[in-house]
Amino acid sequence: VTNYYTKIEALKLAVASLAGQLNTADPDSTYVRTGSVSYNDKMQTAQPLDWGTAKVVSYVNALTASGRTDSSAAFKKAYDSLVDQKEDKAHQDKTGQTPTKYIVFMTDGDNNVASADTDTKKYCDKARDQKIQVYTVALMAPAGGKALLNYCATTSAHYFAAENMTALLNAFKSIGAKAANQVTRLIN
């Protein structure tokens, strides 16, 4: 029997898989801090950065899909959270290290709110300047969404075009493997 999933169901499964990889690499939540923010025509209330993955998985599992698309405020929120000095201090206080920072940016649409692409690109550029690794995943996105995500990805290897659930799961698995490898290096 073939199972069909909506895009939001596929996202929830992909995030759970990514969280599982991070939890395996850091079972005591000593090194991994995750947060999440979603958007449609406006940014939703964010899940602040916290140790481990449990709160992000709960946040993503509560998401619903609707409306127009404007990624600008959500991407800015992710960027601001990672460059906040309190984030570096939290890691320094707990582990004595400053970790590699990641943003996983996904869309299944085009920004269709005025200046959203321009504003998002501005913070993608700032993320690159701050050495934040930006992974992007276009889930069955139209050309405009793919172009934005291709622009925002740190390198072409950080961009994934997922045209089905299997490709989405594989993209998140690849991102998780890279992030988990970083965690493993921090632990050693």
Side-chain angles (χ1 to χ4, degrees):
V1 175
T2 302
N3 291 324
Y4 294 97
Y5 296 93
T6 63
K7 290 179 183 180
I8 195 74
E9 290 168 334
L11 171 64
K12 291 173 184 182
L13 290 169
V15 169
S17 173
L18 173 63
Q21 288 176 283
L22 295 174
N23 292 339
T24 298
D26 183 23
D28 298 324
S29 299
T30 302
Y31 298 94
V32 173
R33 284 175 58 83
T34 60
S36 189
V37 61
S38 63
Y39 60 95
N40 46 37
D41 62 329
K42 60 186 178 302
M43 182 181 81
Q44 308 303 304
T45 301
Q47 170 57 54
L49 289 163
D50 195 15
W51 296 106
T53 63
K55 289 183 179 178
V56 163
V57 171
S58 293
Y59 178 92
V60 170
N61 283 338
L63 292 177
T64 59
S66 66
R68 297 169 42 97
T69 305
D70 179 355
S71 61
S72 60
F75 195 95
K76 180 184 183 305
K77 177 69 172 176
Y79 169 82
D80 287 345
S81 296
L82 291 175
V83 298
D84 187 325
Q85 293 301 312
K86 289 184 263 181
E87 182 59 19
D88 287 341
K89 184 170 178 3
H91 284 278
Q92 286 293 324
D93 289 350
K94 191 163 186 174
T95 67
Q97 300 175 2
T98 302
T100 301
K101 297 175 183 178
Y102 299 88
I103 293 174
V104 179
F105 177 27
M106 191 187 112
T107 193
D108 65 353
D110 286 327
N111 275 328
N112 48 25
V113 174
S115 78
D117 276 2
T118 302
D119 294 343
T120 302
K121 286 178 179 179
K122 176 175 128 180
Y123 282 92
C124 292
D125 292 339
K126 287 181 175 220
R128 267 191 293 282
D129 291 345
Q130 292 295 317
K131 308 293 187 235
I132 296 170
Q133 299 296 303
V134 179
Y135 285 93
T136 61
V137 182
L139 176 57
M140 294 184 265
K146 288 178 180 177
L148 175 65
L149 294 183
N150 208 359
Y151 178 90
C152 287
T154 300
T155 69
S156 60
H158 288 72
Y159 169 77
F160 298 88
E163 296 304 325
N164 56 48
M165 185 175 147
T166 300
L168 177 67
L169 289 170
N170 287 338
F172 273 72
K173 184 177 180 181
S174 178
I175 294 165
K178 290 171 183 154
N181 184 44
Q182 172 66 27
V183 172
T184 303
R185 283 196 310 256
L186 287 172
I187 293 170
N188 290 333

